[in-house]
Amino acid sequence: MGQRRRDQWHVKIIFIVVSIVFGRTVWAQIRYSISEEQKDGAAVGNVAKDLGIDHRTLKDRGFRIVSASGESLFSANQNDGVLYVNGKLDREEVCERSTPCLINLKIALENPLEIHYVTVDVIDVNDHAPRFPEREKHLEISETVLPGARFQLQAARDPDSGSNSVQTYKLSHTDYFRIEIIDRDEDGKAPVLILQKPLDREVTKSMKLQLTALDGGRPPKSGTMDIAIDVLDINDNAPVFTKDSYTVMLNENAPVGTIVLRVNATDLDEGQNGEVVYSLGHNVNYKLRKLFDVNPITGEIIVTGLLDFEIKDKYQIDIQASDKGIVPLTTDKIITIKIADINDNPPQIEVTSFSSAIPEDSKPGTTVALISVSDLDSEMNGRVMCSLPEDIPFKLMPSSQENTYSLVTTSSLDRETISRYDITLEAKDAGQPPLSSVKSITVQVSDVNDNIPEFSFSPYVFYVMENNAPGKSVFSVSASDKDTGENSVVSYQIWRDGAENKFASSININSENGEIYALKSFDFEMVKTFQFHVVATDSGTPSLSSNVTVNVFILDQNDNVPVILYPVSANGSAEGVEEIPHNVNAGHLVTKVRAYDADIGYNGWLLFSLQEVSDHSLFGLDRYTGQIRTLRSFTETDEAQHKLLILVKDNGNDSLSATATVIVKVVEPKEAFAASDVKNAVKDEEENDVTFYLIITLGSVSVLFVISIIVLIVMQCSKSTDYSSKYLQDTNYDGTLCHSIQYRSGDKRYMLVGPRMSIGSTIAPGSNRSTLVIPDHRRRDSGE
């Protein structure tokens, strides 16, 4: 009991030391002893208790036997951690004559990974009695044989080992013979019958003896063999070998028919009594007889079977030399044949524990697999080196157990770069020439959420036509995630915090596909542009997110009719009365119709036309300025009052219009009229001057605008991030540079408007929507 406790303390000390040294992967060594002939289910030892492992965690951690020389002989219980005998345990069947009989087991636990080595020593019991190969031995001994002559007898066999095997022999009482016991190493103890005094055939012609073999059991068991001896006359010389001992070295796998050596014996007798023949001794078992034979005439020992160093590295063979006398004399000689190892076994690779998938965020040094290598050869031929390719982030770490390695990571892994590694393990021995073997394992890199969603563009720029239908999709954003599975599923939401996101309440987004919907109809005249932010979040744990800025520009529609500013009557209708002298000349400015359109571009570009006039030859209307002038001088036949109906319409696709009525009265000239004429002339001149200055101003602004565009393009092209290539391209641009410049009296600016604008197209941010702001010149007395 005290010895058992000391062994348990030794096991625990070893387990603690190994745990400290190797961290999560642990090796420990336990040794148990058990007698043979145990019944099925007999307990060997409590492995979990001896290792200090909670038996309640064994099943979850995969407590099992992973590799062993005698795996089928034992089973490990995951409920209590006890090692049990699996079937009947027979030492003679498992180990034959090996002493001690050791069975090595390898036990593994997962999560964390632990490897423990268990050695079971099977103790022999005396369950077999000695047994001779023959029940009776017949000897013919010449009377001339001198005392001291030795007669080799077949040894009794006992499958038990140690003290339970054959220990001694006893011979029934006789004055002529005694028994001598010789130790034959692996073959055990063999009896030799020795003559003590000369035989006298005339006194004793034959005799019966009994040889008893006893083992060392308590009580001992025995077996007997009868010896019948016939005493013969003549032939009193036995063959004698020329050498005292024979030892030879022979390579394994020597071809059948190879001559091992040649023995030679001589006999001093003459005739047939001196002719020597050779044979295998009586003590040579049937296994040796399959491997070797001897030529009876020449004494050549010949290979007859396959020799394998890994099975046995030395053989001892009894060679018997006999003469041909009527009573042949024999001499036995032990031949020792040593088998030399050659490199005929390639290394074997065994993956005892393997994690087929490893997270990409695993730290360097994470164990992926436990690998064992072995080689049946010996010395340099059995020395194995294991290697990996150099271009992978893994390496082999030797463990405390010889020829056992841990496959560990050497650097960080990235599934988005490499998602799988096909690792080729190569084991090579140190023989000449070396032999090698390979084994491939596949390690999958599992995904972790380490990539944020990435938007297709940043920022986004969209154009939306005003008067859009609320609730319909106006545009969409898209983001992708390099991760897989749930880590790559992206959801969208609008960031509604902060004062700059005051327009975020006007829109909503589909969280699954990024479709953005307008919750209300936009009015270009109220809001021309706004900005909001979209946040994309993946479904990983913890989730990662990114955001993008979305710039929205509202496009104008022709939804405003022209408004007549002059003439306007007292009751608010577009009607006015103008008086002109009768004596005015052709080209006289009668009046100017002024109108305003809240739209921009072509939608706000107004044209004037005469719808009704009493005399087409008398008045003319400028379609662009709205000025009404006389075409000729008045005559006596002309009427004194004329009515002009002017149509004002914009240039939208579906143009809108308004009308104004001007009543022209022709009166007699007076001084006041003359003064009025002068005033009108001055007004005409001033208006002409304003027109001239306006043309100069527009020309200057146009040149500055073109120069600004060129500078902006050069600056954008020089940036590292090429925004011009991402945003400036307009897929609907037809190659023309036709724009109109429209003066808007409402906000006092000129709008540069292209001939076509496509909804949803993108332009470079910061373009100020093609608007040129000019200073507000005070109107002159002419009303321009």
Side-chain angles (χ1 to χ4, degrees), residues 2 117 236 276 281 359 374 428-429 511 523 664 742:
Y117 296 89
D236 53 353
V276 179
S374 60
K428 181 183 292 186
D429 61 29
S511 63
D523 186 359
V664 181
Q742 176 65 38

Side-chain angles (χ1 to χ4, degrees), residues 426-697:
E426 181 180 14
K428 181 183 292 186
D429 61 29
Q432 293 297 329
L435 298 180
S436 63
S437 60
V438 296
K439 189 178 185 67
S440 296
I441 60 175
T442 299
V443 177
Q444 299 285 348
V445 181
S446 60
D447 183 53
V448 297
N449 193 26
D450 58 347
N451 289 278
I452 64 172
E454 296 180 358
F455 284 93
S456 303
F457 299 95
S458 181
Y460 279 93
V461 178
F462 295 102
Y463 289 92
V464 179
M465 190 69 72
E466 68 171 329
N467 301 323
N468 56 292
K472 288 190 177 181
S473 174
V474 289
F475 47 81
S476 66
V477 296
S478 177
S480 60
D481 197 308
K482 294 179 181 179
D483 296 318
T484 61
E486 289 295 323
N487 296 332
S488 66
V489 178
V490 179
S491 61
Y492 305 88
Q493 63 179 352
I494 294 175
W495 184 57
R496 303 185 185 276
D497 297 335
E500 66 273 13
N501 286 328
K502 61 183 179 180
F503 292 102
S505 60
S506 303
I507 56 174
N508 201 1
I509 190 169
N510 188 317
S511 63
E512 295 182 357
N513 57 24
E515 289 284 339
I516 297 178
Y517 301 88
L519 300 180
K520 69 176 185 177
S521 180
F522 297 113
D523 186 359
F524 174 82
E525 286 70 36
M526 299 297 294
V527 178
K528 295 177 177 57
T529 180
F530 64 89
Q531 185 184 82
F532 64 94
H533 302 281
V534 175
V535 179
T537 306
D538 60 31
S539 300
T541 304
S543 61
L544 301 178
S545 63
S546 63
N547 63 80
V548 69
T549 301
V550 180
N551 296 305
V552 181
F553 295 92
I554 309 302
L555 298 181
D556 181 48
Q557 277 189 332
N558 192 22
D559 58 346
N560 292 279
V561 298
V563 177
I564 304 298
L565 301 178
Y566 182 84
V568 178
S569 63
N571 59 5
S573 63
E575 183 174 336
V577 178
E578 295 288 340
E579 293 182 354
I580 62 173
H582 184 272
N583 60 349
V584 297
N585 297 323
H588 176 76
L589 178 63
V590 178
T591 187
K592 180 177 181 180
V593 179
R594 296 179 179 86
Y596 161 75
D597 194 318
D599 297 321
I600 66 169
Y602 282 99
N603 296 329
W605 185 9
L606 302 181
L607 295 177
F608 303 85
S609 63
L610 281 172
Q611 292 295 105
E612 296 181 11
V613 63
S614 58
D615 189 348
H616 288 283
S617 66
L618 187 56
F619 299 99
L621 175 66
D622 189 305
R623 66 177 302 182
Y624 299 109
T625 64
Q627 293 179 350
I628 302 174
R629 293 180 180 272
T630 59
L631 297 178
R632 60 178 175 80
S633 300
F634 290 98
T635 65
E636 295 296 334
T637 59
D638 291 330
E639 295 181 1
Q641 180 172 310
H642 300 272
K643 180 181 179 180
L644 285 72
L645 181 64
I646 293 93
L647 176 67
V648 182
K649 67 175 183 178
D650 57 32
N651 278 270
N653 291 332
D654 296 325
S655 64
L656 303 176
S657 63
T659 59
T661 303
V662 177
I663 304 297
V664 181
K665 293 182 179 181
V666 181
V667 297
E668 290 300 324
K670 296 180 181 178
E671 290 183 2
F673 291 166
S676 177
D677 246 353
V678 174
K679 184 178 180 180
N680 288 337
V682 173
K683 185 184 296 184
D684 289 345
E685 185 178 352
E686 287 180 353
E687 289 179 353
N688 290 335
D689 289 341
V690 170
T691 302
F692 175 74
Y693 291 140
L694 180 60
I695 291 173
I696 292 176
T697 302

Side-chain angles (χ1 to χ4, degrees), residues 26-31 67 104-107 115-119 352 372 399-402 404:
V26 180
W27 288 266
Q29 187 82 31
I30 305 175
R31 180 164 177 165
S67 177
N104 296 315
L105 304 174
K106 188 185 296 181
I107 295 178
I115 297 297
H116 303 284
Y117 296 89
V118 177
T119 301
T352 59
S372 298
S399 67
S400 61
Q401 192 74 15
E402 186 179 2
T404 301

Side-chain angles (χ1 to χ4, degrees), residues 36 72 120 123 132 147 159-161 177 187 194 204 251 349 375 402 552-553 573 588 677 698 733:
E36 68 167 326
S72 61
V120 180
I123 301 174
F132 289 92
D160 296 325
S161 64
F177 295 94
D187 293 327
I194 301 176
T204 305
N251 286 336
I349 303 174
D375 195 315
E402 186 179 2
V552 181
F553 295 92
S573 63
H588 176 76
D677 246 353
L698 289 176
Y733 177 59

